[in-house]
Amino acid sequence: MELSYWDRAAGKYSDEIVSPFSEGVKNPIYRHLEKIASKNLVVADIGTGIGAILPFLSEKFGKVLATDISMKMIHEAREKNKERKNIGFFLMDMNDMKKIHGSSDIAICANSIITPSAKELKKIFSEVFNVLKQKGIFLGIFPSMEAILYEAMLAQERYLNEGYSEDDALKLAKRHIRNFRCNFVAGTYRHDEIEQKHFYRFELNYRLKSAGFRNIKISKVSYPWSISEDSGYGNFYGKPEIWDWFVYAEK
């Protein structure tokens, strides 16, 4: 991912980035963190961005390590949490986190692993594994490729119900999900000038196992259609919500 993009996004993050920590999102990460919260534990928020979850982590855990590749993101996160003395900030690329290897009881990545490079993905999953202590827990949120296909199906169905032909409904559904920007083999989606990774469920399971994780459980972070609509995407009120993937895994 381009560092310059995240530097530019830092000041307007809340306006432009769909966050799994937004109000109305059904995010199981809080329930999992509540179960294991302890002042004796260290938690790493890898790719913290502007630090949306840092206040919660600071209250529940003894020490918090917050990393990001963008100095401007780190600055925003530090400013928002300057009264919280148990948070340490690290300017760090996820491809190389040797400085905090073996440091954490819990590691969190909330939509921060989105590089389109397959080689980098392999390295990053391995680095996240290495950040954890033995028997450590990983909690991850990942953009879902299936959710894009699901929205395309709903769009096609809507156009058919409106009387469009099969061919026209398919063309409009492809346009709806910006098909020309999706690579369904690589699982990537181009947004503005940035190509971002989305994950298939089977792929997440494979990559986590390949990195050494065990006891892998995958569920959903569900987003209300109102959030999707406000972000410039579709709205299909009354239909099941779109989602990111939520991962629980152990070292």
Side-chain angles (χ1 to χ4, degrees), residues 58-69:
S58 176
E59 291 176 5
K60 300 294 182 179
F61 295 93
K63 187 175 181 181
V64 182
L65 312 179
T67 81
D68 205 274
I69 194 174

Side-chain angles (χ1 to χ4, degrees), residues 178-236:
R178 302 164 177 83
N179 179 256
F180 61 94
R181 294 185 173 189
C182 294
N183 184 326
F184 291 108
V185 175
T188 59
Y189 174 76
R190 181 166 288 278
H191 178 69
D192 294 332
E193 76 272 29
I194 296 296
E195 189 175 17
Q196 298 183 9
K197 174 65 179 168
H198 286 58
F199 291 84
Y200 294 103
R201 181 173 183 146
F202 69 82
E203 178 190 8
L204 272 175
N205 191 63
Y206 174 82
R207 291 191 181 280
L208 289 161
K209 283 185 176 179
S210 296
F213 287 102
R214 59 185 180 83
N215 195 22
I216 299 164
K217 298 175 184 178
I218 302 176
S219 55
K220 292 179 179 180
V221 177
S222 297
Y223 292 82
W225 287 113
S226 57
I227 289 181
S228 175
E229 186 176 23
D230 290 344
S231 303
Y233 296 94
N235 63 78
F236 296 90

Side-chain angles (χ1 to χ4, degrees), residues 11-217:
K12 50 186 179 180
Y13 188 93
S14 299
D15 297 326
E16 296 198 352
I17 307 297
V18 182
S19 171
F21 305 116
S22 297
E23 185 176 352
V25 176
K26 298 171 187 174
N27 190 342
I29 197 169
Y30 293 106
R31 172 168 48 85
H32 283 271
L33 288 169
E34 289 279 8
K35 285 182 179 179
I36 55 180
S38 169
K39 289 295 183 179
N40 296 320
L41 299 179
V42 178
V43 57
D45 185 18
I46 299 169
T48 190
I50 61 171
I53 199 173
L54 291 182
F56 178 88
L57 297 177
S58 176
E59 291 176 5
K60 300 294 182 179
F61 295 93
K63 187 175 181 181
V64 182
L65 312 179
T67 81
D68 205 274
I69 194 174
S70 165
M71 177 60 81
K72 290 188 177 180
M73 288 288 190
I74 290 287
H75 175 75
E76 288 283 330
R78 183 183 280 120
E79 281 298 302
K80 292 177 185 293
N81 295 278
K82 56 187 175 184
E83 304 301 323
R84 301 178 185 276
K85 304 303 181 184
N86 64 337
I87 304 176
F89 292 92
F90 298 84
L91 183 66
M92 189 175 293
D93 190 323
M94 285 188 284
N95 284 285
D96 183 4
M97 297 191 285
K98 290 186 181 68
K99 289 183 180 179
I100 59 169
H101 277 187
S103 65
S104 304
D105 300 283
I106 304 108
I108 295 170
C109 291
N111 282 346
S112 55
I113 302 178
I114 53 177
T115 175
S117 167
K119 289 183 178 180
E120 286 188 8
L121 284 174
K122 183 176 181 180
K123 175 65 173 173
I124 289 169
F125 276 95
S126 177
E127 283 293 287
V128 172
F129 184 84
N130 289 331
V131 164
L132 288 167
K133 300 176 182 179
Q134 286 301 318
K135 298 184 179 181
I137 293 172
F138 173 54
L139 302 176
I141 299 173
F142 297 87
S144 166
M145 201 68 194
E146 284 96 333
I148 293 177
L149 292 167
Y150 168 63
E151 189 170 335
M153 181 200 72
L154 293 179
Q156 183 183 21
E157 183 180 66
R158 174 182 287 175
Y159 291 125
L160 286 170
N161 290 338
E162 291 175 357
Y164 287 89
S165 69
E166 288 269 2
D167 287 345
D168 287 343
L170 180 58
K171 289 176 184 177
L172 289 167
K174 288 180 177 180
R175 188 182 303 169
H176 177 89
I177 63 163
R178 302 164 177 83
N179 179 256
F180 61 94
R181 294 185 173 189
C182 294
N183 184 326
F184 291 108
V185 175
T188 59
Y189 174 76
R190 181 166 288 278
H191 178 69
D192 294 332
E193 76 272 29
I194 296 296
E195 189 175 17
Q196 298 183 9
K197 174 65 179 168
H198 286 58
F199 291 84
Y200 294 103
R201 181 173 183 146
F202 69 82
E203 178 190 8
L204 272 175
N205 191 63
Y206 174 82
R207 291 191 181 280
L208 289 161
K209 283 185 176 179
S210 296
F213 287 102
R214 59 185 180 83
N215 195 22
I216 299 164
K217 298 175 184 178

